[in-house]
Amino acid sequence: MATRIDGKAFAAQLREKVAESVNRLKEAHGLVPGLAVVLVGEDPASQVYVRNKGKQTLEVGMNSYEHKLADTTGQAELLELINQLNHDAKVHGILVQLPLPNQIDSHAVINAIDPNKDVDGFHLVNVGRLATGAPGLVPCTPLGCMMLLKDQIGDLSGKSAVVVGRSNIVGKPMGALLLAENCTVTTAHSRTADLPGVCRDADILVAAVGRAEMIPGDWVKPGAVVIDVGINRVAGDAGKTRLVGDVDYPSAQAVAGAITPVPGGVGPMTIACLLRNTVQAACAANAIAFDLD
Ligand code: GUN
């Protein structure tokens, strides 16, 4: 039976380290890192995320600036806000919650953010830095996955890693991070021939497809480390709903060496890494050594 990787506990520890780092920045430099979060519209899931981000930002002692705009907001107005935040010295990190309403081009907005404040790591400059091994801001969910993997395995060199899913937010940066740790990386997706066979070769299997319980235990190599990024709401008992991952946990945990549960696995790591990235950006902006690596 697999070790259950406790992302909730790991994220709590990381937030504690972030809080200590924020304290040191205040005491030694009078610097309070600040994170601006921009929400356009009223998508209920996005509202929950933004509220949690704001709350956790304050809990670690940083400043939180929330900007809530109507879902009819035009692109020019949003770009003007980004421009203001880019020039605001109190703001070290800027996050624009996705998805954006249809009238707004997400790429244009993301690439308008100062790359050194792009704590999501979505700007083309940060994508390029990650792809070429230059220092930069790394997307939060893949960064959280890497922390859990390194904690579990130690040295990842030479491991066969399969990432199922090729999104810009998770799959592609995850592949780049695994490659940087000397894994042999396969990025699989909906058109992959023999997906079960590809998955069965993986020492490290990362599932980021957004399809409930798509990966069964018999796709998992015995002893593999399984990281489940999926968060899918499905019908549960008595008319209630419940959250499940992209991996069928009951069958996979019988085969894997270690596995993240849903909820309580990768999910809590994302905001913890966002806070970490904000401290990184605040340190870089003030030419202070970053002490959280
Ligand atoms: N929407 C879903 N995930 C994310 C994320 O990681 N960052 C942003 N900005 N929006 C999201």
Side-chain angles (χ1 to χ4, degrees), residues 86-164:
N86 281 344
H87 290 97
D88 186 339
K90 299 188 300 304
V91 172
H92 304 100
I94 302 170
L95 179 144
V96 179
Q97 185 66 30
L98 302 175
L100 288 166
N102 288 334
Q103 73 274 16
I104 297 175
D105 173 1
S106 311
H107 292 286
V109 171
I110 288 166
N111 291 314
I113 298 171
D114 177 342
N116 296 323
K117 296 190 178 189
D118 167 40
V119 282
D120 258 332
F122 295 163
H123 191 290
L124 288 172
V125 165
N126 284 316
V127 175
R129 286 168 171 161
L130 177 58
T132 56
L137 289 158
V138 172
C140 303
T141 301
L143 181 59
C145 293
M146 290 306 289
M147 287 181 185
L148 296 178
L149 278 171
K150 285 194 201 164
D151 183 60
Q152 190 61 43
I153 301 175
D155 182 11
L156 307 188
S157 270
K159 303 277 185 202
S160 153
V162 173
V163 181
V164 188

Side-chain angles (χ1 to χ4, degrees), residues 54-69:
K55 184 168 160 272
Q56 294 188 28
T57 302
L58 296 174
E59 276 169 8
V60 297
M62 305 199 296
N63 286 329
S64 170
Y65 307 98
E66 278 185 22
H67 295 267
K68 294 189 175 162
L69 306 180

Side-chain angles (χ1 to χ4, degrees), residues 11 23 25 35 40 74-75 90 99 110 112 120 123 142 147 165-166 168 181-182 185 190 192-193 202 246 250 262 285:
N23 250 328
L25 288 174
L35 173 64
V40 186
Q75 183 162 322
K90 299 188 300 304
I110 288 166
D120 258 332
H123 191 290
M147 287 181 185
R166 53 174 155 178
N168 291 334
E181 293 295 328
N182 306 310
V185 181
S190 55
T192 295
D246 293 346
V262 177

